[in-house]
Coordinates of all heavy atoms in Angstrom, one line a residue:
M9 N 94.5 147.2 57.2 CA 94.6 145.7 57.2 C 93.2 145.2 56.8 O 92.2 145.6 57.3 CB 95.0 145.2 58.6 CG 95.0 143.7 58.8 SD 95.5 143.2 60.3 CE 97.2 143.4 60.3
N10 N 93.3 144.3 55.8 CA 92.0 143.7 55.4 C 91.9 142.3 56.0 O 92.8 141.9 56.8 CB 92.0 143.5 53.9 CG 93.1 142.7 53.3 OD1 93.6 141.7 53.9 ND2 93.5 143.0 52.1
K11 N 90.9 141.5 55.7 CA 90.6 140.3 56.4 C 91.7 139.2 56.1 O 92.1 138.5 57.0 CB 89.2 139.6 55.9 CG 88.9 138.4 56.6 CD 87.5 137.8 56.1 CE 87.2 136.6 56.8 NZ 85.9 136.1 56.3
T12 N 92.2 139.1 54.9 CA 93.3 138.2 54.6 C 94.5 138.5 55.3 O 95.2 137.6 55.9 CB 93.6 138.2 53.1 OG1 92.5 138.0 52.4 CG2 94.7 137.2 52.7
E13 N 94.9 139.8 55.5 CA 96.1 140.1 56.3 C 95.8 139.8 57.7 O 96.8 139.3 58.4 CB 96.4 141.7 56.1 CG 96.8 142.0 54.7 CD 96.8 143.5 54.4 OE1 96.2 144.3 55.1 OE2 97.4 143.8 53.3
L14 N 94.7 140.1 58.3 CA 94.4 139.8 59.7 C 94.5 138.2 59.9 O 95.1 137.8 60.9 CB 92.9 140.3 60.0 CG 92.5 140.0 61.4 CD1 93.3 140.7 62.4 CD2 91.1 140.3 61.6
V15 N 93.9 137.4 59.0 CA 93.9 136.0 59.2 C 95.5 135.6 59.2 O 95.8 134.8 60.0 CB 93.2 135.3 58.1 CG1 93.5 133.8 57.9 CG2 91.6 135.6 58.3
N16 N 96.2 136.1 58.3 CA 97.6 135.6 58.2 C 98.4 136.1 59.4 O 99.2 135.2 60.0 CB 98.2 136.1 56.9 CG 97.7 135.3 55.8 OD1 97.4 134.2 55.7 ND2 97.8 136.0 54.7
S17 N 98.2 137.3 59.9 CA 98.9 137.8 61.1 C 98.6 137.0 62.3 O 99.5 136.5 63.1 CB 98.6 139.3 61.3 OG 99.3 139.7 62.4
V18 N 97.3 136.8 62.6 CA 96.8 136.1 63.8 C 97.2 134.6 63.7 O 97.7 134.1 64.7 CB 95.4 136.4 64.1 CG1 94.9 135.5 65.3 CG2 95.1 137.8 64.3
R19 N 97.0 134.1 62.6 CA 97.4 132.6 62.4 C 98.9 132.4 62.7 O 99.2 131.4 63.4 CB 97.0 132.2 60.9 CG 97.3 130.8 60.5 CD 97.0 130.5 59.1 NE 97.8 131.3 58.2 CZ 99.1 130.8 57.9 NH1 99.6 129.7 58.3 NH2 99.8 131.5 57.0
E20 N 99.8 133.2 62.2 CA 101.2 133.0 62.4 C 101.5 133.2 63.9 O 102.2 132.4 64.5 CB 101.9 134.0 61.6 CG 101.9 133.7 60.1 CD 102.6 134.7 59.3 OE1 103.1 135.8 59.8 OE2 102.6 134.7 58.1
K21 N 100.9 134.2 64.5 CA 101.2 134.4 66.0 C 100.6 133.2 66.9 O 101.3 132.9 67.8 CB 100.5 135.7 66.4 CG 101.3 137.0 65.9 CD 100.6 138.2 66.3 CE 101.3 139.4 65.7 NZ 100.7 140.6 66.1
A22 N 99.5 132.6 66.5 CA 98.8 131.5 67.3 C 99.4 130.2 66.7 O 99.0 129.2 67.4 CB 97.4 131.6 67.1
N23 N 100.2 130.1 65.7 CA 100.7 128.9 65.2 C 99.6 127.9 64.8 O 99.6 126.7 65.3 CB 101.7 128.3 66.2 CG 102.6 127.3 65.5 OD1 102.8 127.4 64.3 ND2 103.1 126.4 66.2
L24 N 98.6 128.4 64.1 CA 97.5 127.5 63.7 C 97.5 127.4 62.1 O 98.0 128.1 61.3 CB 96.2 128.2 64.0 CG 95.8 128.4 65.5 CD1 94.7 129.2 65.7 CD2 95.7 127.0 66.3
S25 N 96.8 126.3 61.7 CA 96.7 126.1 60.2 C 95.7 127.1 59.7 O 94.9 127.6 60.4 CB 96.3 124.7 60.0 OG 94.9 124.6 60.3
L26 N 95.9 127.4 58.4 CA 95.0 128.4 57.8 C 93.5 127.9 57.8 O 92.6 128.6 58.2 CB 95.4 128.6 56.4 CG 94.6 129.6 55.6 CD1 94.7 131.0 56.2 CD2 95.1 129.7 54.1
K27 N 93.3 126.7 57.6 CA 91.9 126.2 57.6 C 91.3 126.2 59.0 O 90.2 126.7 59.1 CB 91.9 124.7 57.1 CG 90.5 124.1 56.9 CD 90.5 122.7 56.4 CE 89.1 122.2 56.4 NZ 89.1 120.8 55.9
N28 N 92.0 125.8 59.9 CA 91.5 125.8 61.3 C 91.1 127.3 61.8 O 90.2 127.5 62.4 CB 92.4 125.2 62.2 CG 92.5 123.7 62.2 OD1 91.6 123.1 61.6 ND2 93.5 123.1 62.7
F29 N 92.0 128.2 61.5 CA 91.8 129.5 61.9 C 90.8 130.2 61.2 O 90.0 131.1 61.8 CB 93.1 130.4 61.9 CG 92.9 131.8 62.3 CD1 92.8 132.0 63.7 CD2 92.7 132.8 61.5 CE1 92.7 133.3 64.2 CE2 92.6 134.2 62.0 CZ 92.4 134.3 63.4
E30 N 90.6 130.1 59.9 CA 89.5 130.6 59.1 C 88.2 130.1 59.7 O 87.2 130.9 59.7 CB 89.7 130.3 57.5 CG 90.7 131.2 57.0 CD 90.8 130.8 55.4 OE1 90.6 129.7 55.0 OE2 91.2 131.7 54.7
E31 N 88.0 128.8 59.9 CA 86.8 128.3 60.5 C 86.5 129.0 61.9 O 85.3 129.3 62.1 CB 86.9 126.8 60.7 CG 86.8 126.0 59.4 CD 87.0 124.6 59.6 OE1 86.9 124.0 60.6 OE2 87.3 124.0 58.6
A32 N 87.5 129.2 62.7 CA 87.4 129.7 63.9 C 87.0 131.2 63.8 O 86.1 131.6 64.5 CB 88.6 129.6 64.8
L33 N 87.6 131.9 62.9 CA 87.2 133.4 62.6 C 85.8 133.5 62.2 O 85.1 134.3 62.6 CB 88.2 133.9 61.7 CG 87.9 135.4 61.4 CD1 88.0 136.2 62.6 CD2 88.9 136.0 60.3
K34 N 85.4 132.6 61.2 CA 84.0 132.6 60.7 C 83.0 132.3 61.9 O 82.1 133.0 61.9 CB 83.8 131.5 59.6 CG 84.4 131.9 58.4 CD 84.2 130.9 57.3 CE 84.9 131.1 56.1 NZ 84.8 130.0 54.9
A35 N 83.4 131.4 62.9 CA 82.4 131.2 63.9 C 82.4 132.4 64.8 O 81.3 132.7 65.3 CB 83.0 130.0 64.6
V36 N 83.5 133.1 65.0 CA 83.5 134.2 66.0 C 82.6 135.3 65.4 O 81.8 136.0 66.0 CB 84.9 134.7 66.2 CG1 84.9 136.0 66.9 CG2 85.7 133.7 67.1
L37 N 82.8 135.7 64.1 CA 82.1 136.7 63.3 C 80.7 136.4 63.3 O 79.8 137.3 63.4 CB 82.6 137.0 62.1 CG 84.1 137.4 62.0 CD1 84.6 137.6 60.6 CD2 84.3 138.8 62.9
S38 N 80.3 135.1 63.1 CA 79.0 134.7 63.1 C 78.2 134.9 64.4 O 77.1 135.5 64.4 CB 78.8 133.2 62.5 OG 77.5 132.8 62.6
T39 N 78.9 134.5 65.4 CA 78.3 134.6 66.8 C 78.2 136.0 67.1 O 77.1 136.4 67.7 CB 79.3 133.9 67.8 OG1 79.5 132.6 67.4 CG2 78.7 134.0 69.2
I40 N 79.1 137.0 66.8 CA 79.0 138.3 67.1 C 77.8 138.9 66.3 O 77.0 139.6 66.9 CB 80.3 139.1 66.7 CG1 81.5 138.8 67.7 CG2 80.1 140.6 66.6 CD1 82.8 139.2 67.3
T41 N 77.7 138.5 65.1 CA 76.6 139.1 64.2 C 75.1 138.6 64.8 O 74.3 139.4 65.0 CB 76.7 138.5 62.8 OG1 78.0 139.0 62.3 CG2 75.6 139.1 61.9
Q42 N 75.1 137.3 65.2 CA 73.8 136.9 65.7 C 73.5 137.5 67.0 O 72.4 137.9 67.3 CB 73.9 135.3 65.9 CG 73.9 134.6 64.6 CD 74.3 133.1 64.8 OE1 74.5 132.7 65.9 NE2 74.3 132.3 63.7
T43 N 74.5 137.7 67.8 CA 74.3 138.4 69.1 C 73.8 139.8 69.0 O 72.9 140.2 69.7 CB 75.6 138.3 70.0 OG1 76.0 136.9 70.2 CG2 75.3 138.8 71.5
L44 N 74.4 140.6 68.1 CA 74.1 141.9 67.8 C 72.7 141.9 67.2 O 71.9 142.8 67.5 CB 75.1 142.5 67.0 CG 76.4 142.8 67.6 CD1 77.4 143.5 66.6 CD2 76.3 143.8 69.0
A45 N 72.4 141.1 66.3 CA 71.0 141.0 65.7 C 69.9 140.8 66.8 O 68.8 141.3 66.6 CB 71.0 139.9 64.7
K46 N 70.1 140.1 67.9 CA 69.2 139.8 68.9 C 69.1 141.1 69.8 O 68.2 141.2 70.6 CB 69.5 138.7 69.8 CG 69.4 137.4 69.0 CD 69.6 136.2 70.0 CE 71.0 136.1 70.6 NZ 71.3 135.0 71.4
G47 N 70.0 142.0 69.6 CA 70.0 143.3 70.4 C 70.9 143.2 71.7 O 70.8 144.0 72.6
D48 N 71.6 142.0 71.8 CA 72.6 141.9 73.0 C 73.8 142.6 72.9 O 74.2 142.8 71.7 CB 72.8 140.4 73.3 CG 71.5 139.6 73.7 OD1 70.5 140.3 74.1 OD2 71.4 138.4 73.5
K49 N 74.5 142.8 73.9 CA 75.8 143.4 73.9 C 76.9 142.4 74.0 O 76.7 141.4 74.8 CB 75.9 144.5 75.2 CG 77.1 145.2 75.3 CD 76.9 146.2 76.5 CE 78.2 147.0 76.7 NZ 78.0 148.0 77.7
I50 N 78.0 142.7 73.4 CA 79.2 141.9 73.5 C 80.3 142.7 74.1 O 80.7 143.7 73.5 CB 79.7 141.3 72.1 CG1 78.6 140.5 71.5 CG2 80.9 140.5 72.2 CD1 78.9 140.2 70.0
Q51 N 80.8 142.3 75.3 CA 81.9 143.0 76.1 C 83.2 142.2 76.1 O 83.2 141.0 76.6 CB 81.4 143.3 77.4 CG 82.1 144.3 78.1 CD 81.4 144.9 79.3 OE1 80.4 144.3 79.7 NE2 81.9 145.9 79.9
L52 N 84.2 142.6 75.6 CA 85.5 142.0 75.6 C 86.4 142.8 76.4 O 86.9 144.0 76.1 CB 86.2 141.9 74.1 CG 85.2 141.3 73.1 CD1 85.8 141.4 71.7 CD2 85.1 139.7 73.4
L53 N 86.7 142.3 77.7 CA 87.5 143.1 78.7 C 88.8 143.4 78.1 O 89.5 142.6 77.5 CB 87.6 142.2 79.9 CG 86.3 142.0 80.7 CD1 86.5 141.3 81.9 CD2 85.6 143.4 81.1
G54 N 89.2 144.6 78.2 CA 90.6 145.0 77.8 C 90.6 145.4 76.4 O 91.6 146.0 75.8
F55 N 89.4 145.3 75.6 CA 89.3 145.6 74.3 C 88.3 146.7 74.0 O 88.5 147.8 73.5 CB 89.1 144.4 73.4 CG 89.1 144.7 72.0 CD1 90.4 145.1 71.3 CD2 88.0 144.7 71.1 CE1 90.5 145.4 69.9 CE2 88.0 145.0 69.8 CZ 89.3 145.4 69.2
G56 N 87.0 146.2 74.3 CA 85.9 147.2 74.2 C 84.5 146.4 74.1 O 84.4 145.2 74.4
A57 N 83.5 147.1 73.7 CA 82.1 146.6 73.7 C 81.4 146.9 72.4 O 81.5 148.1 71.9 CB 81.4 147.1 74.9
F58 N 80.8 145.9 71.8 CA 79.9 146.1 70.7 C 78.5 146.0 71.1 O 78.1 145.2 71.9 CB 80.1 145.0 69.6 CG 81.4 144.9 69.0 CD1 82.4 144.1 69.6 CD2 81.7 145.6 67.9 CE1 83.7 144.0 69.0 CE2 83.0 145.5 67.2 CZ 83.9 144.7 67.8
E59 N 77.7 147.0 70.7 CA 76.2 147.0 70.9 C 75.5 147.7 69.9 O 76.1 148.3 69.0 CB 76.0 147.6 72.3 CG 76.3 149.1 72.4 CD 76.1 149.5 73.9 OE1 75.1 149.3 74.5 OE2 77.0 150.4 74.3
T60 N 74.2 147.6 69.9 CA 73.3 148.2 69.0 C 72.6 149.4 69.7 O 72.2 149.3 70.9 CB 72.3 147.2 68.4 OG1 71.5 146.8 69.3 CG2 73.0 146.2 67.6
K61 N 72.2 150.4 69.0 CA 71.6 151.5 69.5 C 70.5 151.9 68.3 O 70.7 151.7 67.2 CB 72.5 152.8 69.8 CG 73.3 152.6 70.9 CD 73.9 153.9 71.4 CE 74.6 153.6 72.7 NZ 75.0 154.8 73.4
E62 N 69.4 152.6 68.9 CA 68.4 152.9 68.0 C 68.7 154.4 67.6 O 69.1 155.2 68.4 CB 67.0 153.0 68.6 CG 66.5 151.6 69.0 CD 66.1 150.8 67.8 OE1 65.7 151.4 66.7 OE2 66.3 149.6 67.8
R63 N 68.7 154.7 66.2 CA 68.9 156.0 65.7 C 67.6 156.5 65.2 O 66.9 155.8 64.4 CB 70.0 156.0 64.6 CG 70.2 157.4 64.1 CD 71.2 157.3 63.0 NE 72.6 157.1 63.6 CZ 73.7 156.9 63.0 NH1 73.7 156.7 61.6 NH2 74.8 156.6 63.5
G64 N 67.1 157.6 65.8 CA 65.8 158.1 65.4 C 65.7 158.7 64.0 O 66.7 158.9 63.3
A65 N 64.5 158.7 63.5 CA 64.2 159.4 62.2 C 64.7 160.8 62.3 O 64.5 161.4 63.3 CB 62.8 159.3 61.8
R66 N 65.2 161.3 61.2 CA 65.6 162.7 61.2 C 65.6 163.3 59.7 O 65.3 162.5 58.8 CB 67.0 162.9 61.7 CG 68.1 162.1 60.9 CD 69.4 162.1 61.7 NE 70.4 161.7 60.8 CZ 70.8 160.4 60.4 NH1 70.0 159.4 60.9 NH2 71.8 160.1 59.7
K67 N 65.7 164.6 59.6 CA 65.7 165.2 58.3 C 67.1 165.4 57.8 O 68.0 165.6 58.7 CB 64.9 166.5 58.3 CG 63.4 166.4 58.6 CD 62.9 167.8 58.7 CE 61.4 167.6 59.0 NZ 60.8 169.0 59.2
G68 N 67.3 165.3 56.6 CA 68.6 165.4 56.0 C 68.6 166.3 54.7 O 67.5 166.6 54.3
R69 N 69.7 166.5 54.1 CA 69.8 167.2 52.8 C 70.5 166.3 51.8 O 71.5 165.8 52.1 CB 70.4 168.5 53.1 CG 69.7 169.4 54.0 CD 69.5 170.7 53.2 NE 68.7 171.7 54.1 CZ 67.5 171.9 53.8 NH1 67.0 171.6 52.7 NH2 66.9 172.8 54.5
N70 N 70.0 166.4 50.6 CA 70.6 165.7 49.5 C 71.8 166.7 49.1 O 71.6 167.8 48.8 CB 69.7 165.7 48.3 CG 70.3 164.9 47.1 OD1 71.5 164.9 46.9 ND2 69.5 164.2 46.3
P71 N 73.1 166.1 49.1 CA 74.2 167.0 49.0 C 74.4 167.5 47.4 O 74.9 168.5 47.1 CB 75.4 166.2 49.3 CG 74.9 164.8 49.2 CD 73.5 164.9 49.5
Q72 N 73.7 166.8 46.6 CA 73.7 167.2 45.1 C 72.8 168.4 44.8 O 73.3 169.2 44.0 CB 73.4 166.0 44.2 CG 74.4 164.9 44.3 CD 74.1 163.8 43.3 OE1 72.9 163.5 43.0 NE2 75.1 163.0 43.0
N73 N 71.6 168.4 45.3 CA 70.7 169.4 45.0 C 70.2 170.3 46.2 O 69.4 171.1 46.0 CB 69.6 168.9 44.2 CG 68.8 167.9 44.9 OD1 68.8 167.8 46.0 ND2 68.0 167.0 44.1
G74 N 70.5 169.9 47.5 CA 70.0 170.5 48.6 C 68.6 170.3 49.0 O 68.2 170.9 50.0
A75 N 68.0 169.4 48.4 CA 66.6 169.0 48.7 C 66.6 168.3 50.0 O 67.5 167.5 50.3 CB 65.9 168.1 47.6
E76 N 65.5 168.6 50.8 CA 65.3 167.9 52.2 C 64.8 166.5 51.9 O 63.9 166.4 51.1 CB 64.4 168.8 53.0 CG 64.3 168.3 54.4 CD 63.4 169.3 55.2 OE1 64.0 170.3 55.7 OE2 62.3 168.9 55.5
I77 N 65.4 165.6 52.7 CA 64.9 164.2 52.5 C 64.7 163.8 54.0 O 65.3 164.2 54.9 CB 66.0 163.3 51.9 CG1 67.4 163.4 52.6 CG2 66.1 163.6 50.4 CD1 68.4 162.4 52.1
K78 N 63.9 162.7 54.0 CA 63.6 162.1 55.4 C 64.4 160.9 55.5 O 64.5 159.9 54.6 CB 62.1 161.6 55.4 CG 61.8 161.0 56.7 CD 60.3 160.6 56.8 CE 60.0 159.8 58.0 NZ 58.8 159.1 58.0
I79 N 65.1 160.8 56.6 CA 66.0 159.6 56.9 C 65.4 158.8 58.0 O 65.0 159.3 59.1 CB 67.4 160.1 57.4 CG1 68.0 160.9 56.3 CG2 68.3 158.9 57.8 CD1 69.4 161.6 56.9
S80 N 65.0 157.5 57.6 CA 64.2 156.7 58.6 C 65.0 156.3 59.7 O 66.2 156.2 59.7 CB 63.6 155.6 57.8 OG 64.5 154.7 57.2
A81 N 64.2 155.9 60.8 CA 64.9 155.4 62.0 C 65.5 154.0 61.6 O 65.0 153.3 60.8 CB 63.8 155.2 63.1
K82 N 66.6 153.6 62.4 CA 67.2 152.4 62.2 C 68.0 152.1 63.4 O 68.3 152.8 64.2 CB 68.0 152.3 60.9 CG 69.1 153.3 60.9 CD 69.9 153.2 59.6 CE 71.0 154.3 59.5 NZ 71.6 154.2 58.2
R83 N 68.4 150.8 63.5 CA 69.3 150.3 64.5 C 70.7 150.2 64.0 O 70.8 149.6 62.9 CB 68.8 148.8 65.0 CG 69.4 148.5 66.4 CD 68.5 147.3 66.9 NE 68.7 146.2 66.0 CZ 68.5 145.0 66.5 NH1 68.4 144.7 67.7 NH2 68.6 143.9 65.5
V84 N 71.7 150.7 64.7 CA 73.1 150.8 64.2 C 73.9 150.1 65.2 O 73.7 150.1 66.5 CB 73.5 152.2 64.0 CG1 72.8 152.8 62.8 CG2 73.5 153.1 65.2
V85 N 75.1 149.5 64.8 CA 76.1 148.9 65.6 C 77.1 149.9 66.0 O 77.6 150.8 65.2 CB 76.8 147.8 64.9 CG1 77.9 147.2 65.7 CG2 75.8 146.7 64.5
V86 N 77.4 150.0 67.3 CA 78.4 151.0 67.9 C 79.5 150.2 68.6 O 79.2 149.1 69.1 CB 77.8 152.1 68.7 CG1 76.9 152.9 67.9 CG2 77.1 151.3 69.9
F87 N 80.7 150.7 68.5 CA 81.8 150.1 69.3 C 82.3 151.1 70.3 O 82.6 152.3 69.9 CB 82.9 149.7 68.4 CG 84.1 149.1 69.1 CD1 84.1 148.0 69.7 CD2 85.3 150.0 69.1 CE1 85.3 147.4 70.3 CE2 86.4 149.5 69.8 CZ 86.3 148.2 70.3
K88 N 82.5 150.7 71.5 CA 83.0 151.6 72.5 C 84.3 150.9 73.1 O 84.4 149.9 73.6 CB 82.1 151.7 73.7 CG 80.8 152.4 73.5 CD 80.0 152.6 74.7 CE 78.7 153.3 74.4 NZ 77.8 153.2 75.7
P89 N 85.5 151.6 72.7 CA 86.8 151.0 73.1 C 86.9 151.1 74.6 O 86.5 152.1 75.3 CB 87.8 151.8 72.4 CG 87.1 153.2 72.1 CD 85.6 152.8 72.0
S90 N 87.7 150.2 75.2 CA 88.0 150.2 76.6 C 89.0 151.1 76.9 O 89.7 151.6 76.0 CB 88.4 148.8 77.1 OG 89.8 148.6 76.5
N91 N 89.1 151.6 78.1 CA 90.2 152.5 78.5 C 91.6 151.9 78.3 O 92.4 152.7 77.8 CB 90.2 152.9 80.0 CG 89.0 153.8 80.3 OD1 88.4 154.5 79.4 ND2 88.4 153.8 81.5
A92 N 91.8 150.6 78.5 CA 93.1 150.1 78.1 C 93.4 150.2 76.7 O 94.5 150.6 76.2 CB 93.0 148.6 78.5
L93 N 92.4 150.0 75.7 CA 92.6 150.0 74.3 C 93.0 151.6 74.0 O 93.9 151.9 73.2 CB 91.6 149.6 73.5 CG 91.5 149.8 72.0 CD1 92.8 148.8 71.5 CD2 90.2 149.3 71.3
K94 N 92.1 152.4 74.5 CA 92.4 153.8 74.2 C 93.8 154.3 74.6 O 94.5 155.2 73.9 CB 91.4 154.8 75.1 CG 90.0 154.7 74.5 CD 89.1 155.6 75.4 CE 87.7 155.5 75.0 NZ 86.8 156.3 76.0
S95 N 94.3 153.9 75.8 CA 95.7 154.3 76.2 C 96.8 153.6 75.4 O 97.8 154.3 75.2 CB 95.8 154.0 77.7 OG 95.9 152.6 77.9
R96 N 96.5 152.5 74.9 CA 97.5 151.8 74.0 C 97.6 152.5 72.6 O 98.6 152.5 72.1 CB 97.3 150.4 73.8 CG 97.3 149.6 75.1 CD 98.1 148.4 75.2 NE 99.1 148.2 74.3 CZ 99.5 146.9 73.8 NH1 98.8 145.9 74.3 NH2 100.5 146.7 73.1
V97 N 96.4 153.0 72.2 CA 96.4 153.6 70.8 C 97.0 155.0 70.9 O 97.6 155.5 69.9 CB 95.0 153.6 70.2 CG1 94.8 154.4 69.0 CG2 94.5 152.2 70.1
K98 N 96.8 155.6 72.0 CA 97.4 157.1 72.2 C 98.7 157.2 71.6 O 99.8 157.2 71.6 CB 97.4 157.5 73.6 CG 96.1 158.2 73.9 CD 96.2 158.8 75.4 CE 94.9 159.6 75.8 NZ 95.0 160.0 77.1

């Protein structure tokens, strides 16, 4: 499902206009992005949690020629699904 399909599906279920829902979705995604950029965690009960974690520097290999490369440390976004979501997906 892409963003357009998601917008249309949720919009129909919530009985909202396309313009209103697109603005609301942009606001939600913007808030999530800003919160994660600050290093804070977002917890949605019954769904899961988004947070950032530090990934340390490590060595890797170039798959084309096998040469060793250095992969720098970075902060990554992780999602941990709730038990309720896990059980519904099973």
Side-chain angles (χ1 to χ4, degrees):
M9 176 178 280
N10 63 29
K11 184 178 176 182
T12 303
E13 293 168 342
L14 177 66
V15 166
N16 288 331
S17 177
V18 175
R19 181 182 65 82
E20 289 172 5
K21 289 179 182 179
N23 198 23
L24 296 171
S25 72
L26 179 61
K27 183 178 178 181
N28 288 342
F29 183 74
E30 283 182 331
E31 289 176 14
L33 181 61
K34 285 179 187 178
V36 168
L37 295 177
S38 174
T39 302
I40 290 171
T41 303
Q42 290 170 358
T43 303
L44 292 172
K46 290 189 295 186
D48 294 338
K49 182 177 180 178
I50 298 170
Q51 197 165 7
L52 304 170
L53 295 178
F55 185 71
F58 294 93
E59 63 183 320
T60 58
K61 289 196 172 189
E62 294 293 326
R63 181 177 289 167
R66 62 191 196 279
K67 293 179 183 176
R69 295 232 175 250
N70 181 333
Q72 292 180 337
N73 58 21
E76 189 173 279
I77 57 173
K78 180 183 174 191
I79 301 170
S80 58
K82 61 183 172 180
R83 199 165 57 152
V84 296
V85 176
V86 294
F87 174 73
K88 292 182 182 178
S90 70
N91 288 335
L93 179 61
K94 287 180 189 178
S95 66
R96 295 223 33 204
V97 172
K98 269 187 180 179

